[in-house]
Amino acid sequence: MAKKQKTDAYKKLIRATVLLFVALVVLCAGYVMAGRLQDTEMERLKNEATQKNIQLTEQYNEAVKEYNASQQKGESPQWPAPKAEGWDVVDVSLFPLSSIREVSVSRTQLISAGMMLINRWHELPGDFPEAEVVSVSSVDKEIPVSGYSVKLFPSAITALQEMLAAAKAEGLENFVINEGYRDMATQTGYYQKQAEKYQDSYSGEALIEVVRTRGGVNYPGTSEYQSGLAFSIYRWKSGDAEFNDPAFHETEHSDWLLANGWKYGIIHRFPVAGYPNETAQDKSFKTGESKKMDIYRYVGKPNAAVMHTLNLCMEEYVEYLMEHPHLAVYENGVLKYEILRVEGGNTAEDVTVQISNTALNAIISTDNMGGIIIGMIY
């Protein structure tokens, strides 16, 4: 009888998990298909999605409780075994965290930690903490920048420090961090300048789209540069035209960055077919950007490791976490990261989340899609 109860509870958990994932994916797809809706309609959909997230999360948590209670009557199943060699991402969504502790995280920390998604469908939050974005040179004068005005969140600057030091150790220097954070006024100015070229022929949503595709400027609030976590990059050496002339994506610096940047939490943001290297797969159908751009983005080491291993862009990664909200990431059979996505983080108040008591550190971020992504580091 005990074995039957254990099995029933396990099946309930599976059913609840599947329902939760399917519903979340449907909600996400609804946002994407809706495009830039009117503000009132977008707010209504966001509120509905939030309430549905809460309801489904409660159902899932209840199933987890039933499952945990059943395990007291017998041995708990073990996590699936990882590959013995290389990097491996293991879905452990049917297993709750063990040996947990609670940590408090501010809204500012959630926004600046790395995984805040900004694109044509998900705008910059109204409470974006612009005061926390700082000049790269004011933090580290050793990071080559195109000017003192290049700004980023400290989390991204720390990742750049570590990444550039690693590149230098392998003989690669002369990276230059070009444009970083754009404030709303700057993005608005860029947009209006381009809009003036097309406003006699287009208006409304059509004008926004033509400015984005032809003018190369996103609508204010939807530019990746406004995240405070993204930057463009090139290489430059004084007086060396031969070194400076090639486009960045044609250089060994680009090759190294694509092969190693993820180890430091940095990814190429907008892959398109054959760019930035010939093996790159087109992700424009997810990112909404088809232009060839050398824009890189800090997302945190745990998240970058999964994106690299599974070849996912940011949008695909968030969708993957909706379907698989608890992941274990291994290197050569050793647990490196544990990732959990939970509902919440949409208010100005501090939030409390659970992390594993054995984790050395955790990167906790909003995904700007109604969820919090917790990346635990071992």
Side-chain angles (χ1 to χ4, degrees):
M1 179 63 71
K3 183 176 181 180
K4 183 178 184 303
Q5 290 175 342
K6 175 180 175 181
T7 301
D8 289 344
Y10 192 68
K11 288 181 177 178
K12 283 184 179 180
L13 179 57
I14 293 175
R15 287 196 297 269
T17 303
V18 171
L19 288 173
L20 173 61
F21 296 161
V22 170
L24 286 173
V25 171
V26 170
L27 289 170
C28 179
Y31 277 136
V32 172
M33 294 176 65
R36 293 183 51 83
L37 300 175
Q38 295 294 327
D39 290 344
T40 54
E41 180 66 7
M42 180 65 79
E43 189 64 27
R44 183 184 67 81
L45 288 174
K46 286 182 178 180
N47 290 337
E48 287 183 359
T50 298
Q51 292 304 314
K52 193 65 175 177
N53 262 332
I54 293 173
Q55 178 185 356
L56 292 170
T57 300
E58 289 175 349
Q59 293 175 2
Y60 173 73
N61 289 338
E62 186 61 32
V64 169
K65 289 180 182 179
E66 292 184 25
Y67 173 71
N68 288 339
S70 73
Q71 303 316 300
Q72 297 177 3
K73 302 176 182 179
E75 294 184 0
S76 297
Q78 300 297 310
W79 280 10
K83 294 189 300 186
E85 297 182 356
W87 286 84
D88 194 17
V89 178
V90 178
D91 182 10
V92 291
S93 298
L94 294 180
F95 302 85
L97 283 176
S98 59
S99 183
I100 60 175
R101 60 186 172 93
E102 293 186 340
V103 295
S104 180
V105 189
S106 70
R107 173 69 172 163
T108 294
Q109 290 173 311
L110 290 175
I111 290 176
S112 63
M115 274 305 300
M116 176 184 62
L117 183 66
I118 299 294
N119 58 25
R120 59 189 294 195
W121 304 289
H122 299 88
E123 299 184 13
L124 191 74
D127 59 346
F128 181 83
E130 184 175 17
E132 302 298 321
V133 183
V134 298
S135 167
V136 174
S137 295
S138 69
V139 176
D140 188 348
K141 290 182 172 58
E142 298 300 315
I143 298 178
V145 293
S146 60
Y148 191 81
S149 62
V150 177
K151 297 181 178 181
L152 292 167
F153 276 123
S155 56
I157 298 175
T158 299
L160 276 173
Q161 290 173 318
E162 188 176 0
M163 184 188 77
L164 294 177
K168 183 177 181 179
E170 296 186 30
L172 289 179
E173 299 185 72
N174 304 106
F175 289 92
V176 180
I177 308 305
N178 192 20
E179 186 168 7
Y181 171 67
R182 285 182 193 168
D183 60 27
M184 187 65 77
T186 300
Q187 185 65 26
T188 300
Y190 288 156
Y191 176 82
Q192 290 178 340
K193 183 177 180 179
Q194 290 297 321
E196 290 173 359
K197 300 178 181 180
Y198 304 102
Q199 61 188 10
D200 290 342
S201 302
Y202 300 90
S203 62
E205 299 297 325
L207 177 61
I208 292 172
E209 184 64 13
V210 76
V211 170
R212 186 183 68 82
T213 55
R214 297 185 192 177
V217 180
N218 286 17
Y219 190 79
T222 69
S223 170
E224 181 67 10
Y225 283 118
Q226 293 184 262
S227 69
L229 297 159
F231 54 90
S232 60
I233 192 169
Y234 63 95
R235 71 173 197 173
W236 183 83
K237 185 185 296 184
S238 178
D240 193 337
E242 183 178 354
F243 182 88
N244 299 334
D245 281 348
F248 182 73
H249 75 279
E250 298 173 342
T251 67
E252 60 181 338
H253 289 63
S254 175
D255 293 339
W256 186 92
L257 183 50
L258 291 170
N260 297 281
W262 63 274
K263 300 173 185 176
Y264 311 97
I266 294 173
I267 62 163
H268 182 259
R269 181 63 180 93
F270 299 115
V272 296
Y275 193 93
N277 61 20
E278 59 183 14
T279 64
Q281 295 182 8
D282 182 44
K283 303 290 185 179
S284 62
F285 67 100
K286 285 293 184 182
T287 65
E289 297 291 348
S290 59
K291 299 184 292 295
K292 296 178 178 180
M293 299 181 287
D294 293 315
I295 297 180
Y296 289 80
R297 161 75 185 251
Y298 171 73
V299 295
K301 292 180 182 179
N303 304 305
V306 177
M307 290 185 218
H308 175 80
T309 303
L310 301 182
N311 189 28
L312 304 174
C313 64
M314 277 190 72
E315 287 78 1
E316 289 175 313
Y317 176 57
V318 175
E319 291 179 358
Y320 187 82
L321 285 178
M322 287 180 171
E323 298 178 2
H324 313 277
H326 191 187
L327 302 175
V329 185
Y330 293 85
E331 182 184 16
N332 297 327
V334 178
L335 181 65
K336 295 284 290 186
Y337 309 118
E338 188 176 358
I339 300 168
L340 193 69
R341 184 185 187 272
V342 297
E343 188 273 335
N346 300 318
T347 66
E349 299 178 354
D350 293 359
V351 297
T352 299
V353 298
Q354 295 179 338
I355 67 172
S356 173
N357 203 39
T358 58
L360 299 177
N361 193 14
I363 298 173
I364 306 169
S365 175
T366 177
D367 60 16
N368 204 26
M369 290 180 63
I372 298 173
I373 298 174
I374 306 164
M376 291 160 276
I377 302 172
Y378 291 89

